[in-house]
């Protein structure tokens, strides 16, 4: 421990100060990046920016799929299917901007 004349001399102190400054800069940089990431998630409701900018896709089957399934199982007749399908499509077109 006491080799080289019982101490590190001036170079050891300079290296320690530079190392401490670099370490503190790294800690501050990580803190800033974490803060920005959390703030970004808060603004966008947990959504990743750039990944999905449009409306969310439906989670379950759409109304048209449910209607088609009912028609395929024979629960509704052809005329009722066509009438309900036209009603669904006309209501969807009325909601578009």
């Amino acid at each position: 421990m006491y080799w080289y004349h019982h101490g590190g001399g001036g170079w050891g102190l300079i290296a320690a100060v530079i190392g401490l400054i670099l370490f503190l800069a790294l800690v501050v940089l990580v803190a800033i990046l974490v803060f920005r990431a959390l703030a970004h998630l808060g603004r966008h409701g947990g959504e990743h920016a750039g990944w999905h900018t449009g409306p969310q896709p439906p989670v379950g089957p759409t109304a048209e799929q449910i209607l088609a399934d009912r028609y395929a199982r024979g629960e509704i007749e052809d005329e009722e299917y066509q009438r309900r399908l036209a009603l669904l499509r006309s209501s969807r077109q009325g909601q578009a901007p």
Side-chain angles (χ1 to χ4, degrees), residues 60-72:
T62 64
E64 287 186 18
Q65 290 171 336
I66 294 171
L67 185 63
D69 290 343
R70 289 186 64 198
Y71 179 66

Side-chain angles (χ1 to χ4, degrees), residues 31-55:
I32 289 172
L33 291 176
V34 168
F35 177 76
R36 288 182 65 191
L38 291 175
H40 185 73
L41 286 176
R43 280 196 309 265
H44 296 288
E47 198 176 285
H48 295 292
W51 286 37
H52 187 73
T53 57

Side-chain angles (χ1 to χ4, degrees), residues 2-91:
Y2 291 108
W3 300 340
Y4 305 110
H5 308 292
H6 303 287
W11 292 111
L13 180 62
I14 291 172
V17 169
I18 291 173
L20 179 63
I21 290 172
L22 290 175
F23 176 74
L24 290 176
L26 180 66
V27 169
V28 169
L29 178 67
V30 168
I32 289 172
L33 291 176
V34 168
F35 177 76
R36 288 182 65 191
L38 291 175
H40 185 73
L41 286 176
R43 280 196 309 265
H44 296 288
E47 198 176 285
H48 295 292
W51 286 37
H52 187 73
T53 57
Q56 294 290 330
V59 176
T62 64
E64 287 186 18
Q65 290 171 336
I66 294 171
L67 185 63
D69 290 343
R70 289 186 64 198
Y71 179 66
R73 287 191 300 262
E75 294 177 10
I76 56 176
E77 297 296 322
D78 185 45
E79 295 166 1
E80 186 177 358
Y81 172 74
Q82 294 297 332
R83 182 178 55 82
R84 289 184 180 202
L85 185 61
L87 182 65
L88 281 173
R89 289 182 176 166
S90 67
S91 66

